[in-house]
Amino acid sequence: MNNDDDMTAEEFVSELKKSNVNWRQGKMGPNSKMNKDYAVDAFPTKVVIGKNGNVLYIDNFIDKDTLKALIEADK
């Protein structure tokens, strides 16, 4: 299941519930504005957004220590 699969938003939400995903997801198509805005070229792509809406990190992988450091620095 990718965020740009052809499934409906309702089907996607149902699949997320089965997966116990506890973070926000963006449903988009391959030509979506969000893909372009965040330079998404592969899935999964992690976009970490700070408290003030600033993009702190974009990549396909993020380890726990890096994520913790970004959160701490954004306080």
Side-chain angles (χ1 to χ4, degrees), residues 11-61:
E11 292 168 325
F12 189 74
V13 168
S14 176
E15 290 299 314
L16 287 175
K17 287 179 182 177
K18 292 177 194 174
S19 304
N20 293 320
V21 171
N22 62 357
W23 56 86
R24 289 187 178 189
Q25 294 285 314
K27 177 81 172 113
M28 64 191 95
N31 298 315
S32 77
K33 184 173 178 344
M34 189 167 19
N35 276 2
K36 292 176 184 140
D37 287 350
Y38 292 105
V40 174
D41 61 0
F43 293 101
T45 295
K46 279 65 170 177
V47 179
V48 180
I49 300 173
K51 293 186 305 184
N52 295 323
N54 298 325
V55 175
L56 305 176
Y57 183 92
I58 299 176
D59 204 345
N60 303 102
F61 177 79

